mmCIF file of all heavy atoms in Angstrom:
data_model
loop_
_atom_site.group_PDB
_atom_site.id
_atom_site.type_symbol
_atom_site.label_atom_id
_atom_site.label_comp_id
_atom_site.label_asym_id
_atom_site.label_seq_id
_atom_site.Cartn_x
_atom_site.Cartn_y
_atom_site.Cartn_z
ATOM 1 N N TYR A 99 81.414 108.200 58.999
ATOM 2 C CA TYR A 99 81.574 109.582 59.483
ATOM 3 C C TYR A 99 80.214 110.338 59.294
ATOM 4 O O TYR A 99 79.807 111.113 60.111
ATOM 5 C CB TYR A 99 82.666 110.313 58.767
ATOM 6 C CG TYR A 99 82.907 111.676 59.367
ATOM 7 C CD1 TYR A 99 83.377 111.822 60.674
ATOM 8 C CD2 TYR A 99 82.582 112.790 58.611
ATOM 9 C CE1 TYR A 99 83.533 113.145 61.187
ATOM 10 C CE2 TYR A 99 82.795 114.043 59.146
ATOM 11 C CZ TYR A 99 83.243 114.232 60.468
ATOM 12 O OH TYR A 99 83.401 115.432 60.956
ATOM 13 N N LEU A 103 77.894 112.409 61.845
ATOM 14 C CA LEU A 103 77.514 113.802 61.603
ATOM 15 C C LEU A 103 75.977 113.909 61.730
ATOM 16 O O LEU A 103 75.496 114.929 62.322
ATOM 17 C CB LEU A 103 77.871 114.183 60.152
ATOM 18 C CG LEU A 103 79.107 114.963 59.896
ATOM 19 C CD1 LEU A 103 79.245 115.393 58.442
ATOM 20 C CD2 LEU A 103 79.236 116.198 60.788
ATOM 21 N N GLU B 28 79.041 118.717 52.684
ATOM 22 C CA GLU B 28 79.666 119.363 53.825
ATOM 23 C C GLU B 28 80.809 118.432 54.313
ATOM 24 O O GLU B 28 81.981 118.978 54.571
ATOM 25 C CB GLU B 28 78.695 119.583 54.943
ATOM 26 C CG GLU B 28 79.267 120.355 56.115
ATOM 27 C CD GLU B 28 78.207 120.502 57.234
ATOM 28 O OE1 GLU B 28 76.998 120.575 56.973
ATOM 29 O OE2 GLU B 28 78.646 120.615 58.425
ATOM 30 N N ALA B 29 80.545 117.140 54.430
ATOM 31 C CA ALA B 29 81.630 116.222 54.924
ATOM 32 C C ALA B 29 82.810 116.207 53.986
ATOM 33 O O ALA B 29 83.895 115.937 54.413
ATOM 34 C CB ALA B 29 80.996 114.828 55.093
ATOM 35 N N THR B 31 83.708 118.781 51.889
ATOM 36 C CA THR B 31 84.386 120.043 51.524
ATOM 37 C C THR B 31 84.879 120.894 52.721
ATOM 38 O O THR B 31 85.581 121.831 52.500
ATOM 39 C CB THR B 31 83.352 120.940 50.731
ATOM 40 O OG1 THR B 31 82.172 121.078 51.517
ATOM 41 C CG2 THR B 31 82.985 120.328 49.426
ATOM 42 N N GLN B 32 84.484 120.455 53.967
ATOM 43 C CA GLN B 32 84.960 121.221 55.104
ATOM 44 C C GLN B 32 86.220 120.499 55.668
ATOM 45 O O GLN B 32 86.190 119.334 56.018
ATOM 46 C CB GLN B 32 83.909 121.264 56.218
ATOM 47 C CG GLN B 32 82.582 121.875 55.733
ATOM 48 C CD GLN B 32 82.726 123.400 55.448
ATOM 49 O OE1 GLN B 32 83.499 124.035 56.130
ATOM 50 N NE2 GLN B 32 82.025 123.919 54.460
ATOM 51 N N PRO B 33 87.344 121.240 55.803
ATOM 52 C CA PRO B 33 88.580 120.627 56.270
ATOM 53 C C PRO B 33 88.430 119.876 57.596
ATOM 54 O O PRO B 33 88.982 118.820 57.752
ATOM 55 C CB PRO B 33 89.547 121.855 56.394
ATOM 56 C CG PRO B 33 89.038 122.867 55.423
ATOM 57 C CD PRO B 33 87.523 122.644 55.415
ATOM 58 N N GLU B 34 87.611 120.449 58.480
ATOM 59 C CA GLU B 34 87.549 119.848 59.802
ATOM 60 C C GLU B 34 86.777 118.505 59.686
ATOM 61 O O GLU B 34 86.877 117.642 60.508
ATOM 62 C CB GLU B 34 86.817 120.765 60.815
ATOM 63 C CG GLU B 34 85.368 121.081 60.557
ATOM 64 C CD GLU B 34 85.197 122.332 59.651
ATOM 65 O OE1 GLU B 34 86.112 122.699 58.909
ATOM 66 O OE2 GLU B 34 84.077 122.840 59.660
ATOM 67 N N HIS B 35 85.962 118.360 58.637
ATOM 68 C CA HIS B 35 85.246 117.083 58.452
ATOM 69 C C HIS B 35 86.103 116.107 57.669
ATOM 70 O O HIS B 35 86.222 114.907 58.050
ATOM 71 C CB HIS B 35 83.971 117.303 57.651
ATOM 72 C CG HIS B 35 82.889 117.989 58.468
ATOM 73 N ND1 HIS B 35 82.651 117.682 59.803
ATOM 74 C CD2 HIS B 35 82.009 118.987 58.173
ATOM 75 C CE1 HIS B 35 81.663 118.461 60.238
ATOM 76 N NE2 HIS B 35 81.280 119.250 59.276
ATOM 77 N N ILE B 36 86.639 116.619 56.541
ATOM 78 C CA ILE B 36 87.395 115.573 55.630
ATOM 79 C C ILE B 36 88.549 114.915 56.368
ATOM 80 O O ILE B 36 88.828 113.761 56.032
ATOM 81 C CB ILE B 36 87.812 116.371 54.299
ATOM 82 C CG1 ILE B 36 87.970 115.335 53.205
ATOM 83 C CG2 ILE B 36 89.027 117.230 54.534
ATOM 84 C CD1 ILE B 36 88.139 115.944 51.821
ATOM 85 N N ALA B 37 89.182 115.633 57.245
ATOM 86 C CA ALA B 37 90.332 115.059 57.898
ATOM 87 C C ALA B 37 89.899 113.814 58.753
ATOM 88 O O ALA B 37 90.743 112.993 59.043
ATOM 89 C CB ALA B 37 90.911 116.147 58.903
ATOM 90 N N ASN B 38 88.633 113.679 59.030
ATOM 91 C CA ASN B 38 88.148 112.565 59.854
ATOM 92 C C ASN B 38 87.999 111.304 59.124
ATOM 93 O O ASN B 38 87.808 110.195 59.668
ATOM 94 C CB ASN B 38 86.819 112.923 60.476
ATOM 95 C CG ASN B 38 86.936 113.896 61.621
ATOM 96 O OD1 ASN B 38 87.485 113.597 62.687
ATOM 97 N ND2 ASN B 38 86.521 115.108 61.406
ATOM 98 N N TRP B 39 87.963 111.352 57.720
ATOM 99 C CA TRP B 39 87.692 110.150 57.007
ATOM 100 C C TRP B 39 88.593 109.967 55.814
ATOM 101 O O TRP B 39 88.596 108.868 55.129
ATOM 102 C CB TRP B 39 86.242 110.082 56.558
ATOM 103 C CG TRP B 39 85.840 111.186 55.611
ATOM 104 C CD1 TRP B 39 85.296 112.357 55.954
ATOM 105 C CD2 TRP B 39 85.933 111.201 54.214
ATOM 106 N NE1 TRP B 39 85.085 113.134 54.896
ATOM 107 C CE2 TRP B 39 85.421 112.489 53.794
ATOM 108 C CE3 TRP B 39 86.409 110.304 53.264
ATOM 109 C CZ2 TRP B 39 85.382 112.859 52.430
ATOM 110 C CZ3 TRP B 39 86.313 110.704 51.920
ATOM 111 C CH2 TRP B 39 85.894 111.904 51.511
ATOM 112 N N ILE B 49 94.875 118.758 57.153
ATOM 113 C CA ILE B 49 94.632 119.570 55.952
ATOM 114 C C ILE B 49 95.354 120.936 56.215
ATOM 115 O O ILE B 49 95.019 121.614 57.128
ATOM 116 C CB ILE B 49 93.157 119.843 55.737
ATOM 117 C CG1 ILE B 49 92.284 118.610 55.754
ATOM 118 C CG2 ILE B 49 92.892 120.655 54.450
ATOM 119 C CD1 ILE B 49 92.280 117.768 54.543
ATOM 120 N N MET B 52 93.028 124.284 51.885
ATOM 121 C CA MET B 52 91.958 123.715 51.095
ATOM 122 C C MET B 52 91.163 124.949 50.491
ATOM 123 O O MET B 52 90.210 125.393 51.129
ATOM 124 C CB MET B 52 91.119 122.835 51.911
ATOM 125 C CG MET B 52 90.148 121.943 51.081
ATOM 126 S SD MET B 52 89.449 120.579 52.082
ATOM 127 C CE MET B 52 88.428 119.824 50.853
#
Side-chain angles (χ1 to χ4, degrees):
Chain A
Y99 186 67
L103 264 187
Chain B
E28 187 183 329
T31 56
Q32 302 293 326
E34 67 272 21
H35 287 319
I36 201 169
N38 287 291
W39 60 269
I49 310 280
M52 195 166 180

